Amino acid sequence: MIGDLFAILGLTLFCALFWQQRRQSEIAKRTILRKCEHLELQLVSVALKGHRFRLPDGKWRWHTRYQFEFSSLGDDCYQGELIMYGFVSGQFDIPPHRM
């Protein structure tokens, strides 16, 4: 009886976390697409890079990293990164590229 209750609770928690991750991924993709359009770049792909506790500057904060590939002229490919704090976009790291 108690074991079934914990199993249901665990499954519910897993489903909620999965749903929130999907929602964050969709927000990140839209944010990256808008940034690429603003910079007149072509978005190639977006991928979840992982969750971390420590930021690149050494501060402790839970965040999610998304890696994306973009092209500036159509025949080249560069990799950028977006850091998300929950459902809010944090910082972009876009390397120098040809114009």
Side-chain angles (χ1 to χ4, degrees):
M1 181 83 168
I2 297 290
D4 293 338
L5 182 62
F6 282 123
I8 292 170
L9 184 63
L11 181 63
T12 303
L13 180 65
F14 175 78
C15 290
L17 290 174
F18 177 78
W19 177 69
Q20 293 297 325
Q21 178 60 53
R22 291 300 318 141
R23 183 173 164 214
Q24 184 188 50
S25 293
E26 291 171 8
I27 292 170
K29 186 172 182 179
R30 279 195 310 262
T31 303
I32 292 168
L33 184 59
R34 278 195 307 261
K35 185 73 165 183
C36 286
E37 287 173 352
H38 176 72
L39 296 174
E40 297 179 1
L41 300 171
Q42 179 183 3
L43 181 62
V44 177
S45 68
V46 178
L48 173 68
K49 192 171 180 182
H51 304 283
R52 301 226 171 113
F53 283 112
R54 182 174 270 191
L55 293 170
D57 61 2
K59 295 180 183 175
W60 291 92
R61 183 169 183 189
W62 178 257
H63 64 282
T64 308
R65 293 176 176 223
Y66 289 90
Q67 186 173 6
F68 61 96
E69 293 181 340
F70 63 92
S71 176
S72 60
L73 301 175
D75 63 345
D76 53 358
C77 191
Y78 300 93
Q79 289 185 350
E81 188 174 273
L82 168 66
I83 295 178
M84 294 281 293
Y85 306 110
F87 298 118
V88 178
S89 62
Q91 64 190 52
F92 274 96
D93 180 24
I94 299 176
H97 53 277
R98 291 188 290 163
M99 300 293 278

